[in-house]
Amino acid sequence: MQELIDLALDVARSAGAGYADIRIVERGTESLTVKNGNLAEASSNRSAGFGVRVLVDGAWGFAGSSRMERAEVERTAREAVDIARASGLALREPIVLDDSPAAVAVYRTPYREDPFEVPLDEKLRLMFEADAVMGKVAGVTLRTSSMDFGRERKTFASSEGARIEQEIVDSGAGIEAMAFNEHEVQRRSYPQSAGGQHVTGGFEAIRDLHLDDNAQRIAEEAVALLDAPQCPSGEMTLIVDSPQLALQVHESCGHPIELDRVLGMEASFAGTSFLTIDKLDKLQYGSEIVNIEADATAPGGLGTFGFDDEGVAAQKVPIVTAGRLVGYLTSRETAPIIGRRSMGSSRASGWNVIPLIRMTNVNLLPGVAGTLDDLIADTSEGLFVSTNHAWSIDDRRLNFQFGTEVGWLIKNGRLTQMVKNPTYTGITPRFWGSCDAICSPSEWTLWGVPNCGKGEPMQTHGVGHGAAPARFRGVEVGVGRW
């Protein structure tokens, strides 16, 4: 392999590249789905290849191939240079990379139980057990259990002398119960919607979810929602649970701090950002108890790795401190524009696409409000919402609306009436500015989002968000017609 790496870099430099890197990537996946007591999907996939990225006279070029052969490596490197020269015809400003040091290192996801070594029978046993528990609840119409696993091995080398080998292993699982009648469909999920919880780690993370222990509860809640009253409308105190708040962070903080969006370099899939660089170190993004950081070193996060796909070491950096915007997600290309060095968030979803600025683990830090029960007890009247159902946000990440699977009214410090179809809406800085309590570290969970989409062609990537339940004052809830 070293011979082919050296060949790619030598050919690129000989053809005129001032900088070149190569990523050799092999990714294998396994997915299982059980529906209503039957195996609905069992699939495994493998993709392998390499991508060469070059910088010629300040313009990027990229080419990739699945054939790791000497002639193909040489052809691909030359093609990347040709593409860079063509890109240079439309160049506005030459690209300048920061001075991040070239690393020589090895990183592997720590885990105790290799998910690809666990027998299929054992995985299905856990899924069928959860399915059977949900099936005993009268009124449940559709039961789904799923598991997903991935292993990515990649080698990165650059003309600056970097040589990095990584193995990233991820595991995820979840269950879902749906109840139908002639008028509507209601759903409850555990531990999170959209496929459950996903982490970097081994099968031990799946066992720790205890899917069957939570199956009856979510099935009963799905059925109960059919007869629950609609969520009331109006301005209320809102308590958001941890998994829903993780998605709130993803959409209203994670995406708008991607510096390529901020600079207008990436806008085709989901728009730009209201957090323009004139707001850095000035904008009061939230209340003084709101602290957000991007942490690619957090154990178990789906955005956890050793080095990004530009060879920059994983880091933990502040994004919002005491409510004030203090940082962005950056790459080696964009960081110098704001006078900084890359914080290591440039990643590609595969060997055949270029790295983009992607979230790592963008986390809302815990507060001092105690447990969720403590927070509810401290709230005289309001609404508690749990588990994302749907969302909408504008192309600058300012105006949003979220719907959750379930809600409960709060009266005199206690959860009372269950309500269905809860929604809330807001404007990002105003919403985070209304946050007056965040639960303590014991309630904090690092959630995985396995399907964040960005770029054109779209790249789907895993990212993480840590959050504890939090309280917001004066939020508009119950919007929409049912």
Side-chain angles (χ1 to χ4, degrees):
M1 182 182 295
Q2 185 61 49
E3 180 184 356
L4 295 178
I5 290 172
D6 292 340
L7 176 64
L9 298 178
D10 289 344
V11 168
R13 284 180 296 195
S14 298
Y19 168 87
D21 63 40
I22 178 171
R23 285 179 295 112
I24 303 171
V25 182
E26 176 188 3
R27 179 167 177 80
T29 61
E30 179 181 293
S31 296
L32 300 168
T33 304
V34 168
K35 288 190 176 182
N36 283 0
N38 297 300
L39 179 60
E41 178 198 2
S43 64
S44 62
N45 293 284
R46 176 182 176 274
S47 176
F50 68 97
V52 178
R53 188 179 69 153
V54 302
L55 201 54
V56 178
D57 298 329
W60 283 123
F62 175 82
S65 174
S66 60
R67 294 166 50 199
M68 281 294 293
E69 303 163 358
R70 185 177 178 85
E72 181 67 359
V73 169
E74 184 172 344
R75 185 200 67 78
T76 303
R78 292 190 185 282
E79 184 175 66
V81 171
D82 290 343
I83 290 172
R85 294 195 192 285
S87 298
L89 299 175
L91 190 66
R92 295 181 180 177
E93 295 289 339
I95 294 165
V96 177
L97 301 182
D98 72 3
D99 60 350
S100 292
V104 178
V106 175
Y107 173 85
R108 290 187 174 84
T109 298
Y111 58 82
R112 297 195 303 273
E113 195 172 5
D114 187 337
F116 290 91
E117 296 298 325
V118 175
L120 180 61
D121 287 351
E122 171 64 1
K123 296 169 181 170
L124 293 177
R125 181 186 69 80
L126 297 176
M127 300 170 76
F128 280 120
E129 284 182 354
D131 180 88
V133 173
M134 291 189 286
K136 293 178 181 177
V137 176
V140 171
T141 313
L142 178 60
R143 317 179 303 270
T144 303
S145 307
S146 61
M147 290 187 184
D148 298 279
F149 307 99
R151 185 198 309 278
E152 185 173 84
R153 295 187 175 100
K154 56 185 173 184
T155 299
F156 173 88
S158 77
S159 57
E160 296 175 336
R163 174 66 189 258
I164 300 165
E165 295 183 3
Q166 297 191 84
E167 180 189 72
I168 311 293
V169 175
D170 57 86
S171 302
I175 57 176
E176 180 181 286
M178 301 181 77
F180 309 165
N181 62 22
E182 62 272 27
H183 303 296
E184 61 184 314
V185 177
Q186 292 293 339
R187 181 185 76 198
R188 288 293 287 130
S189 307
Y190 170 82
Q192 170 66 297
S193 54
Q197 168 69 314
H198 293 252
V199 302
T200 51
F203 199 76
E204 66 276 4
I206 305 301
R207 298 189 191 280
D208 289 345
L209 291 176
H210 302 292
L211 297 176
D212 57 337
D213 289 349
N214 292 276
Q216 180 174 340
R217 175 181 60 82
I218 66 161
E220 291 175 344
E221 288 177 357
V223 175
L225 280 168
L226 292 175
D227 296 321
Q230 293 286 349
C231 175
S233 299
E235 193 174 284
M236 298 180 70
T237 293
L238 180 72
I239 295 179
V240 182
D241 76 344
S242 173
Q244 168 60 26
L245 199 55
L247 189 66
Q248 178 78 50
V249 171
H250 179 92
E251 300 294 348
S252 67
C253 180
H255 277 306
I257 59 170
E258 296 166 341
L259 191 53
D260 53 353
R261 286 189 193 278
V262 174
L263 297 172
M265 300 163 65
E266 161 56 37
S268 58
F269 187 70
T272 58
S273 171
F274 74 99
L275 294 175
T276 48
I277 57 176
D278 60 300
K279 297 180 174 65
L280 183 62
D281 296 322
K282 298 176 183 175
L283 175 72
Q284 193 67 26
Y285 173 89
S287 68
E288 291 190 351
I289 67 168
V290 173
N291 294 282
I292 297 173
E293 62 186 19
D295 184 3
T297 71
L302 209 52
T304 299
F305 47 82
F307 296 83
D308 75 356
D309 288 329
E310 293 188 311
V312 178
Q315 299 167 44
K316 179 168 68 174
V317 299
I319 299 297
V320 173
T321 300
R324 188 174 299 272
L325 175 69
V326 297
Y328 292 105
L329 300 171
T330 62
S331 63
R332 294 190 64 189
E333 174 185 350
T334 57
I337 296 173
I338 58 171
R340 298 185 182 184
R341 177 184 281 179
S342 173
M343 45 70 69
S345 64
S346 188
R347 297 192 289 157
S349 63
W351 55 267
N352 55 347
V353 288
I354 60 171
L356 302 172
I357 293 178
R358 305 306 301 261
M359 291 174 237
T360 55
N361 302 300
V362 179
N363 303 327
L364 173 68
L365 302 188
V368 295
T371 66
L372 175 59
D373 288 343
D374 293 335
L375 185 58
I376 291 170
D378 185 56
T379 305
S380 59
E381 187 168 358
L383 175 68
F384 170 63
V385 295
S386 177
T387 317
N388 185 260
H389 183 82
W391 72 94
S392 175
I393 191 165
D394 72 23
D395 62 354
R396 296 182 64 227
R397 304 280 158 175
L398 261 179
N399 297 275
F400 63 80
Q401 178 174 316
F402 284 91
T404 64
E405 291 184 351
V406 65
W408 283 269
L409 298 178
I410 301 171
K411 297 285 187 183
N412 300 319
R414 296 178 57 249
L415 294 183
T416 58
Q417 176 70 57
M418 172 189 280
V419 295
K420 62 185 174 185
N421 305 323
T423 59
Y424 65 95
T425 187
I427 297 174
T428 297
R430 193 177 301 167
F431 176 78
W432 287 105
S434 73
C435 182
D436 76 340
I438 304 174
C439 286
S440 300
S442 62
E443 302 290 292
W444 193 87
T445 300
L446 180 49
W447 297 97
V449 176
N451 53 0
C452 175
K454 184 178 178 181
E456 188 177 2
M458 188 176 77
Q459 298 187 35
T460 301
H461 224 307
V463 304
H465 301 292
R471 184 173 63 195
F472 302 82
R473 299 291 192 181
V475 179
E476 195 70 27
V477 306
V479 294
R481 294 183 177 179
W482 303 93

